[in-house]
Amino acid sequence: MKERKILLAEDDEMLASLLQFWLEKEGYEVGIVSNGLEVRQSLEKALPDIIISDIMMPYFSGIEVVGHIRNDLKANLPIILISSASNDENILNAFELGANDFLSKPISPSELLVRVSRALKAVNTS
Amino acid sequence: MVLGTLYFFFIFFFKRKISLNFQKLSVKKKELAPIISNFLFHDGEGPVEEQKGYIQLKIEIRDALKNHAFRKILSEILLDLEKDVSGETRKKLHRLYDELGLHLDAYRKLKSWRWEVVSQGILELTQMQRVDAYPFITKFLNDRRSAIRKQAEISTVSLRPEGISHFLDTTRYGISEWQQLKIMEELRDMENFRPPRFATWLISRNRDVVLFALRLMRHYNQNNAEKSIIELIKHKDDHIKSEAICCIKEFCMLKALKPLKAVFRSCSEMVKIEILDAIATLGSESEIEFLLKVEKQESSFMVRTKALTAINDLVPDTIIPTKDIMSKFKKDAKDRLDKKLKGLVKKAKEENNAVEDSGEAPIENSIDDELLADIEVFEIDPLTISIEEEEQEENDEKSMALDHDKTDFEIGPIEQGLDDAINTQLGLVNAEVEEEQKPQGENDLKEEYQKMSPPEREMLIDTLEVSNSDRDIPVLEDLIEQEESSESGFRIFKMLKNLKSPSKEIPPVEEEPFYDSKELLVEANDSIFFPLFEYATDQVSRMALLKEMVSVGDERDLAMLEELSQDGDPKLAKQAKYAKEKLLEKLTSEEPLSEEDHEQSTIRPVTNEKEESHSKELEDMALADESGESEEDRLMPMELCFLHDEFGIGPSRKEDDELNFELADEFFLHQDSTFSEQKETKKNG
């Protein structure tokens, strides 16, 4: 079975490393970027199967990344947002722009796995 | 120059050092990240190679842990990571922290003399959920260094469920508002937390503990300390009072209404507003009397406004806008409001009377007793309280007196009049104020009259002569006391005599007029019966007056009868119509009488038997309507006794033999014969 590619955008190195370890252990191919600009550059090269992005990031926020993917790239790939500040307005804004799911910190790696697999299944079904 | 160079050198040096440390830490983190991830997510069920790698990693890390700097970095990494992960991963992280022996470093930090190190140690142990550190941390609950104390408070509460009880029991220092919020947040996040009975700490000697306990009670809906909470509204601290009032509101403690009203006067403006808010939330219509009193007597604009708002909260639309309302609508508004308030306050009074009858002490009487009540746990000296309260009362009275003199906002005439009317009717104004106000008005008039020059006095007397109204009698009586000139005094005396004498009230009919009810030039209030009618509130009295109008009335009463014939009360309207017809008949048919004859005719109560029987019938109908009336009630009201005194008119009912003020029957017989002779003569001639 072909490995699913995940682009993980997280500025906290330790958390990014932990999630990468956990996701790779579950059989995903994980690429890590630490800010919004790197996300854009990475997306120009190749589109992953799913994006997991923090909202609060340098250069471009997670919400701006969602807007860029949906409006500029017109890509339909699933996006899961992570944030420590559960700002309702931000979350609603992200969902309006086309985010598929949201997780608030502290996150449970097991829960993240479940959500990732569900989002990928939803894309396959559609 | 040298100093400047040195200054910039040091800045550059330290900045570089900090930057290098940060980079070093970042590199270390990158190195350690996979190791930690490996430790965290190792399940022991992987392939043999993976197991070997894991054991090798353990050996390496044990060696590295001998280095203090490494341990410090590892602790930092784990603490950072702990904030970002949850669930099983977090528990594994805690276990890893223990296994690596990093908690021993945290314990060592507790022994430091530096407050930031101690605080860091407490934080680490708490974050890693080291329950065994609980007894060590609780020792810092009363530490004189606030940073340590606050960290210890949060740790104590979050490490064990019984931590909150221990904290509230032992803390001697104040608990800031922010700290209270943080502790509440900790309690909220605790799993399986069973809140203790926070009412236990309402007797604490620590003011902030009492306040916090009240807040926690409200937060956890613990309404099992009604008496204690009600007692706390007498506390000398405003914050505790406010919080107690909030609890009272939240838990709908209706028993607190009376104590709230009792302590009202001794409270600050902020607390008064909260009390009024509580009354508005919990009270009923019976509180309106109290609220009106507050509105009347309170000096603070905000409190007065709140009192009015509370009235409208209890009974919507009781207080309607009166300010800047166009004058032609003012009367309607006033009447409506007056009527509604009268009803409400009457009801309230009845309820209060019922309470008094049932044996409960009246509110006013209980105020002082309740205020003097002491809360032993707060060591309130009753003497101090009573003195403070007396001073407060004095200040209140002074401020109220001052407020009367220099009110910041305008009180419209309708509002003033309304206030006066309400308070006069209900006796809400205290006797002192009333006594002060009443003589003031009279004295003003007397003083003004004394200041007048003789021509001005003459002019005033001329005006009074022209107006010739009953309402001027009290003024004339005052003036006659003040008047020194015999001529003016005689004029006033003459006016008074005319106004008071019965003959003045019934002027002789000079000529036979032609009356058309639609073209009446006189108004209803020109009738001498008009004030009597306003005064007589019950139907029986009004019917009696109508009956008398037929016999003693003149052309000035026609307008009033016309108006009454369109009254909403059908019986009254019918009687008025009948009286008007009879009066018209009498006035149009009668010959001009001499003054003597007229006097005789006016005192005749009933003109003929038919009228008498009709009046009787209507009166009986009215009496029958008023169910449950005793024989005493059926008698003419005392207010109308002046009819007997001044006009010599007595009730026409035959059963009132003992109170017969009528003339002898022989006189009527004689009069009847005289009238019949006159009528016959008129018809014939």
Side-chain angles (χ1 to χ4, degrees), chain A residues 12 17 22 25 106-109, chain B residues 33 41 77 83-86 89:
Chain A
D12 185 343
S17 172
W22 181 247
K25 207 181 167 192
I107 51 172
S108 163
Chain B
F41 300 120
I77 290 169
K83 289 175 197 164
D84 290 334
V85 294
S86 64
T89 315

Side-chain angles (χ1 to χ4, degrees), chain A residues 81-94:
Chain A
L81 292 175
I82 301 170
S83 178
S84 53
S86 54
N87 186 334
D88 292 346
E89 201 178 326
N90 272 349
I91 296 160
L92 286 173
N93 199 8

Side-chain angles (χ1 to χ4, degrees), chain B residues 431-445:
Chain B
E432 288 170 18
V433 176
E434 207 167 29
E435 277 170 22
E436 278 170 19
Q437 285 174 353
K438 198 177 169 185
Q440 185 66 37
E442 288 174 7
N443 289 338
D444 285 347
L445 180 71

Side-chain angles (χ1 to χ4, degrees), chain B residues 554-597:
Chain B
D554 59 14
E555 69 273 18
R556 289 184 300 173
D557 300 324
L558 286 167
M560 184 181 161
L561 287 171
E562 173 66 24
E563 214 174 271
L564 285 172
S565 63
Q566 289 158 8
D567 195 81
D569 186 350
K571 282 155 199 155
L572 200 72
K574 193 177 173 185
Q575 174 72 344
K577 203 173 174 185
Y578 173 79
K580 191 187 82 182
E581 283 168 12
K582 285 291 159 195
L583 188 63
L584 271 170
E585 198 179 300
K586 187 183 91 178
L587 291 167
T588 49
S589 64
E590 267 178 16
E591 287 287 329
L593 300 171
S594 65
E595 199 171 321
E596 197 182 326
D597 290 340

